[in-house]
């Protein structure tokens, strides 16, 4: 029913978009922008300043893996001029529909031009015979790419430049403002990167355990190794869970990181098995700079404890 209703609204929404764009140009009201997740909202606001009004699809505490847009958001999209996406799971289902609802809105994929990682899978210890049997039975499957690029501040700098360019293309009159916003944000990102490197550079233990594999780009940037519990949205079975627990013990890991969007039940089970503790960190927090500093401190403390 929702899809049928959306189709019937298409003509009126298209008209609203064109009228909204004309009104913005004449009145100087902020450009209406949507993003998929909160960190992207922060990035666009840092570059766009007062010239943009940014709304986000996946709000605080929500999971991009299970999220479904609300009717109110779909209505607001009718007046948006730009949408910034990043490849989180809900986009696979909804972006085509969003594009159909508002053909005048330009959709910018901030992954474009960046090198994407594959999501980690469970690190099982198979014999060579076991591995051959798994490969024989399993159908060929395209590797799932990790959308959490924003956990690497240096990749965010490239995103900020893309945001500057695309905002300027829609609103050339704001070019100087967008350049100033991007420059200021880039300086902050450089300072953040230097701070994190100082915090993590001398740690001897560099493996960490995380429930959902959200920190792969962060790990790659700062010479750490992410060991993930969940794989492709699925929790481990009994054998895989036992293998993960053994890995954690072998690597003297005593902390498992979780985020509020996922259940802590399995994480708590692992923590008890390794005589460790559960620590919450959130890759989806909106206060990006402060959150990344908090996260780096949490990693530094946990890796020191694990020595």
């Amino acid at each position: 029913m929702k899809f049928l209703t959306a189709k019937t609204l298409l003509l009126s929404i298209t008209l609203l978009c064109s009228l909204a764009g004309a009104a913005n140009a004449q009145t100087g009201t902020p450009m209406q922008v949507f993003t998929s997740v909160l960190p992207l909202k922060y990035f666009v606001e840092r570059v766009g300043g007062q010239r943009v009004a940014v709304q986000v699809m996946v709000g605080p505490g929500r999971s991009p893996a299970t999220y479904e847009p609300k009717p109110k958001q779909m209505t607001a999209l009718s007046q948006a001029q730009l949408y910034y996406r990043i490849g989180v799971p809900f986009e696979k289902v909804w972006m085509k529909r969003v594009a159909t609802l508002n053909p005048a809105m330009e959709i910018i994929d901030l992954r474009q031009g960046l090198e994407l990682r594959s999501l980690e899978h469970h690190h099982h210890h198979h014999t060579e015979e076991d591995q051959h049997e798994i490969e024989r039975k399993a159908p060929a499957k395209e590797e799932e790419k990790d959308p959490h690029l924003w956990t690497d501040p240096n990749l965010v700098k490239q995103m900020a430049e893309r945001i500057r360019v695309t905002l300027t293309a829609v609103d050339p009159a704001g070019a100087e403002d967008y350049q100033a916003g991007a420059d200021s944000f880039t300086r902050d990102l450089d300072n953040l990167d230097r701070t994190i490197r100082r915090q993590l550079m001398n740690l001897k233990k560099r493996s960490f355990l995380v429930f959902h594999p959200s920190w792969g780009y962060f790990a790659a940037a700062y010479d750490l190794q992410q060991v993930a519990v969940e794989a492709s949205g699925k929790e481990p079975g009994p054998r895989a869970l036992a293998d993960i627990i053994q890995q954690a013990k072998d690597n003297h890991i005593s902390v498992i990181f979780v985020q509020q969007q996922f259940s802590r039940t399995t994480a708590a089970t692992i923590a008890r098995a390794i005589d460790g503790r559960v620590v919450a960190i959130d890759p989806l927090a909106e206060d990006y700079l402060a959150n990344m500093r908090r996260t780096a401190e949490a990693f530094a403390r946990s890796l020191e404890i694990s020595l």
Side-chain angles (χ1 to χ4, degrees):
M1 286 297 295
K2 290 182 181 178
F3 182 65
L4 292 175
T5 301
K7 289 180 67 176
T8 62
L9 289 173
L10 177 58
L11 185 60
S12 60
I13 285 175
T14 303
L15 177 60
L16 282 171
C17 289
S18 60
L19 292 175
N24 288 348
Q26 293 176 2
T27 64
T29 56
M31 187 190 313
Q32 300 300 305
V33 180
F34 260 84
T35 68
S36 293
V37 292
L38 286 163
L40 302 190
K41 177 178 182 289
Y42 177 83
F43 302 163
V44 176
E45 288 175 339
R46 284 297 309 266
V47 176
Q50 295 183 350
R51 301 186 75 94
V52 297
V54 188
Q55 298 185 62
V56 64
M57 297 299 282
V58 184
R62 306 254 181 196
S63 170
T66 57
Y67 182 73
E68 291 190 7
K70 303 293 185 290
K72 185 177 181 181
Q73 290 178 311
M74 299 300 279
T75 301
L77 278 165
S78 69
Q79 300 181 45
Q81 293 159 276
L82 287 174
Y83 187 112
Y84 290 95
R85 63 173 300 187
I86 197 66
V88 290
F90 91 90
E91 295 176 345
K92 296 177 183 178
V93 176
W94 284 95
M95 288 315 301
K96 286 185 179 180
R97 192 175 300 183
V98 166
T100 301
L101 285 172
N102 187 348
M105 179 179 66
E106 185 175 359
I107 296 175
I108 309 298
D109 192 335
L110 288 176
R111 296 171 297 177
Q112 186 175 336
L114 302 180
E115 184 175 351
L116 303 180
R117 302 178 66 260
S118 296
L119 278 170
E120 278 88 356
H121 293 279
H122 302 311
H123 298 279
H124 305 309
H125 299 300
H126 298 296
T127 65
E128 187 175 349
E129 291 77 9
D130 287 338
Q131 189 61 40
H132 286 320
E133 183 65 10
I134 291 169
E135 292 171 356
R136 184 183 68 80
K137 290 182 178 180
K141 185 177 180 181
E142 184 179 354
E143 283 189 315
E144 187 178 1
K145 297 302 182 182
D146 186 347
H148 306 92
L149 296 98
W150 64 85
T151 61
D152 179 351
N154 289 296
L155 294 179
V156 176
K157 287 200 300 183
Q158 297 180 59
M159 292 184 210
E161 175 60 14
R162 184 92 189 282
I163 291 168
R164 183 197 68 79
V165 169
T166 50
L167 290 178
T168 302
V170 175
D171 176 26
E176 290 187 6
D177 291 336
Y178 299 139
Q179 184 67 64
D183 289 345
S184 173
F185 188 28
T186 295
R187 287 193 294 271
D188 285 345
L189 290 168
D190 284 336
N191 288 334
L192 173 65
D193 178 60
R194 285 192 290 268
T195 298
I196 294 174
R197 289 190 187 281
R198 283 196 301 268
Q199 288 177 304
L200 302 180
M201 65 184 300
N202 292 323
L203 295 173
K204 294 180 180 179
K205 196 65 183 175
R206 310 200 71 83
S207 295
F208 64 91
L209 185 62
V210 63
F211 180 78
H212 182 68
S214 301
W215 296 94
Y217 291 99
F218 181 94
Y222 299 109
D223 192 27
L224 303 176
Q225 181 184 0
Q226 173 178 256
V227 179
V229 174
E230 184 196 68
S232 300
K234 298 178 181 179
E235 294 195 22
R239 288 184 61 187
L241 184 59
D243 192 58
I244 291 167
I245 289 170
Q246 189 59 52
Q247 263 193 283
K249 291 179 177 179
D250 291 344
N251 287 282
H252 306 289
I253 295 173
S254 60
V255 173
I256 176 169
F257 291 101
V258 298
Q259 60 191 81
Q260 62 177 320
Q261 296 83 8
F262 296 90
S263 169
R264 299 190 182 190
T265 304
T266 301
T269 299
I270 295 172
R272 286 193 296 271
I274 64 175
D275 193 24
R277 61 195 177 97
V278 176
V279 173
I281 54 177
D282 187 5
L284 293 167
E286 183 174 358
D287 58 336
Y288 180 77
L289 297 175
N291 182 59
M292 290 295 288
R293 291 191 182 96
R294 288 194 299 268
T295 299
E297 290 171 3
F299 279 126
R301 287 195 301 270
S302 73
L303 294 175
E304 287 174 348
I305 291 170
S306 298
L307 289 175

